[in-house]
């Protein structure tokens, strides 16, 4: 064997050895859930504050079991921007006020989720005055992974839209800061890219999220100010890491905005490599939160039922024969994520049959 052939052989042997030892970072947390697989009910008391999430079904809080249950701190309810500001600068917080007073009678807290994005193509969610040329339309369609319109989102990166959103936050803060437990902005993940809107850029969107975070913190210095930071457009971790999501978590820690995410999915790489990794890999002085949302009780997310998916329209089908994974979800959130808040969706029959039975 001549020298050149020997060197080529040596190279391939060394590379084969490297590949054998290669650690696939996207799989690093794939088996983390197994540590908690044997968790059982009842769930012991701890430092986590538990809330029941009602989305926009605010009427369901009436006579709900959480009202007389010591383990639940209160209710998380979603409020559309369009309902809170029916006309420019004219605010109507009567629904929030009503829910706050109702929960207060039972010594329960209200956690507000402010909605500026929707997952319904028929609902924009923004006040009508924003859906004009002055605000560049105010909102834009969200396109899901199947190429279908899946809802709308406010143009958070538009300076004029941001200004009106800040005014809304300031008005909410004047009335409810220090009274409600907290307020959270919706998830950072949106189905928008620069091909849809020339005013949209990934860096500009990152900066806009930070501006909203700062406005929220200023408006709510006493109540918990929280952002749902799950994914950021323009990157996919761990391989396409532009630092967008990481910078959001760093900024939240810097200014005191709590960080959270929807969809506690302990076996999906998407969630594990994004929000869940951010929580697990760093220490925070600001609170952390995680939401168990529609589908999560059976290992799915709302996206699994979106237009174009194999499960489209099946979200109301009940999985009768299932393992109760609530103890697993709780143990994972407590130990692996070290969260301060958990939000359990009031999805029937799973909440009554799986959650309540574990929180006796």
């Amino acid at each position: 064997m001549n020298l050149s052939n020997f060197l080529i052989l040596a190279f391939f042997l060394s590379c084969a050895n490297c590949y054998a030892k290669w650690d696939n970072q996207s799989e690093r947390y794939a088996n983390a859930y197994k540590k908690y697989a044997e968790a059982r009910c009842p769930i012991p008391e701890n430092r986590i504050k538990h809330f029941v999430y009602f989305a926009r079904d605010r009427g369901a809080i009436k006579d709900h079991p959480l009202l007389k249950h010591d383990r639940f701190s209160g209710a998380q309810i979603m409020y559309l921007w369009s309902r809170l500001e029916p006309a420019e600068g004219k605010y109507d917080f009567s629904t929030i006020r009503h829910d706050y007073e109702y929960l207060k009678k039972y010594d329960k807290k209200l956690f507000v989720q402010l909605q500026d994005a929707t997952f319904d193509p028929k609902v924009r969610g923004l006040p009508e005055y924003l859906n004009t040329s002055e605000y560049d339309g105010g909102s834009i369609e969200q396109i899901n992974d199947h190429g279908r319109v899946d809802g709308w989102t406010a143009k958070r990166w538009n300076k004029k839209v941001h200004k009106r959103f800040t005014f809304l936050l300031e008005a909410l803060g004047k009335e409810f800061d220090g009274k409600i437990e907290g307020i959270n902005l919706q998830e950072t993940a949106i189905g928008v890219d620069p091909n849809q809107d020339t005013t949209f850029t990934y860096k500009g969107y990152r900066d806009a999220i930070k501006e909203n975070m700062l406005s929220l913190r200023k408006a709510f210095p006493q109540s918990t100010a929280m952002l749902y930071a799950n994914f950021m457009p323009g990157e996919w971790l761990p391989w396409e890491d532009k630092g967008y999501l990481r910078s959001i978590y760093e900024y939240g820690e810097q200014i005191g905005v709590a960080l959270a995410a929807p969809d506690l999915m302990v076996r999906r790489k998407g969630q594990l490599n994004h929000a869940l990794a951010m929580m697990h890999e760093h220490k925070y002085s600001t609170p952390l939160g995680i939401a168990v949302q529609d589908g999560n009780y059976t290992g799915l997310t709302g996206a699994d039922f979106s237009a174009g998916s194999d499960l489209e329209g099946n979200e109301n089908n009940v999985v009768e024969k299932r393992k109760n994974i609530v103890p697993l979800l709780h143990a994972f959130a407590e130990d692996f994520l070290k969260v301060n808040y958990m939000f359990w969706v009031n999805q029937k029959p799973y909440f009554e049959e799986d959650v309540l039975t574990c929180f006796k």
Side-chain angles (χ1 to χ4, degrees):
M1 179 183 297
N2 60 37
L3 179 61
S4 60
N5 288 338
F6 175 78
L7 292 175
I8 292 172
L9 178 61
F11 171 77
F12 279 112
L13 288 175
S14 64
C15 284
N17 188 49
C18 290
Y19 288 135
K21 295 180 179 179
W22 180 61
D23 182 22
N24 185 348
Q25 285 298 297
S26 69
E27 302 282 353
R28 66 195 188 281
Y29 298 130
N31 295 315
Y33 76 94
K34 293 182 178 179
K35 178 181 177 181
Y36 313 101
E38 300 305 316
R40 294 290 182 266
C41 299
I43 291 174
E45 292 192 37
N46 52 34
R47 62 184 176 82
I48 298 177
K49 293 184 178 181
H50 297 279
F51 282 76
V52 182
Y53 175 50
F54 292 88
R56 290 190 306 220
D57 188 17
R58 45 184 293 270
I61 67 172
K62 185 177 180 181
D63 299 325
H64 193 275
L66 83 91
L67 300 174
K68 298 181 180 180
H69 203 303
D70 292 340
R71 297 294 302 280
F72 293 97
S73 299
Q76 183 191 38
I77 302 175
M78 181 188 289
Y79 302 91
L80 273 171
W81 184 354
S82 58
R83 298 291 178 86
L84 300 179
E85 189 181 6
E88 183 173 358
K90 304 295 183 182
Y91 301 109
D92 181 1
F93 300 153
S94 58
T95 52
I96 300 179
R97 197 176 300 117
H98 175 274
D99 297 340
Y100 165 75
E101 294 294 345
Y102 182 78
L103 291 167
K104 186 178 179 180
K105 291 192 301 184
Y106 295 90
D107 197 28
K108 298 297 181 182
K109 295 286 189 176
L110 174 64
F111 211 108
V112 170
Q113 179 162 307
L114 187 55
Q115 186 177 18
D116 69 337
T118 72
F119 300 96
D120 184 346
K122 298 178 182 179
V123 180
R124 285 203 179 196
L126 265 65
E128 283 298 322
Y129 77 88
L130 288 174
N131 300 321
T132 60
S133 58
E134 181 181 355
Y135 296 94
D136 194 27
S139 58
I140 188 171
E141 291 176 328
Q142 297 201 68
I143 308 300
N144 66 20
D145 293 337
H146 306 284
R148 306 283 188 88
V149 176
D150 205 29
W152 294 81
T153 181
K155 290 192 173 183
R156 298 166 178 169
W157 56 95
N158 181 286
K159 295 295 184 183
K160 289 186 175 181
V161 174
H162 165 71
K163 186 175 182 180
R164 296 307 314 178
F165 193 64
T166 295
F167 288 159
L168 172 65
L169 291 173
E170 290 173 349
L172 285 166
K174 287 179 181 178
E175 180 162 354
F176 297 108
D177 184 39
K179 296 180 180 179
I180 61 174
E181 174 71 22
I183 177 172
N184 71 277
L185 305 185
Q186 273 186 288
E187 61 190 70
T188 55
I190 56 172
V192 180
D193 65 49
N195 294 322
Q196 292 172 254
D197 188 335
T198 57
T199 69
F200 175 84
T201 66
Y202 298 131
K203 291 182 179 180
Y205 181 70
R206 174 204 60 195
D207 295 341
I209 292 296
K210 290 183 178 181
E211 289 174 1
N212 279 347
M213 293 169 71
L214 184 59
S215 295
L216 179 67
R217 178 73 280 177
K218 288 181 177 178
F220 286 87
Q222 298 180 67
S223 298
T224 297
M226 177 181 286
L227 172 72
Y228 273 14
N230 53 346
F231 302 93
M232 288 290 284
E235 67 176 8
W236 189 255
L237 307 180
W239 308 126
E240 298 177 67
D241 188 353
K242 302 294 182 60
Y244 299 148
L245 185 62
R246 192 177 312 280
S247 70
I248 295 301
Y249 274 78
E250 290 173 351
Y251 190 62
E253 172 68 6
Q254 178 185 333
I255 67 172
V257 169
L259 298 153
D263 295 320
L264 179 50
M265 303 294 292
V266 301
R267 298 185 65 177
R268 286 203 183 175
K269 288 194 292 184
Q271 282 76 13
L272 286 168
N273 290 325
H274 288 79
L276 305 189
M278 292 296 165
M279 295 181 194
H280 175 70
E281 293 174 358
H282 306 282
K283 293 183 178 180
Y284 299 89
S285 58
T286 189
L288 298 177
I290 194 70
V292 180
Q293 299 200 333
D294 284 345
N296 293 179
Y297 294 125
T298 58
L300 300 171
T301 73
D304 292 312
F305 305 103
S306 64
S309 69
D310 293 337
L311 295 175
E312 180 180 356
N314 291 338
E315 62 266 33
N316 294 322
N317 288 355
V318 177
V319 180
E320 298 290 353
K321 296 181 179 180
R322 64 184 183 275
K323 179 181 179 180
N324 184 354
I325 63 172
V326 166
L328 163 63
L329 297 177
H330 177 273
F332 187 94
E334 179 187 22
D335 184 66
F336 190 80
L337 303 180
K338 295 180 170 52
V339 300
N340 307 88
Y341 289 97
M342 289 192 75
F343 305 96
W344 302 89
V345 65
N346 186 48
Q347 184 181 14
K348 296 181 179 180
Y350 308 114
F351 183 82
E352 295 88 343
E353 295 179 2
D354 296 357
V355 179
L356 284 180
T357 56
C358 281
F359 278 90
K360 289 185 177 180

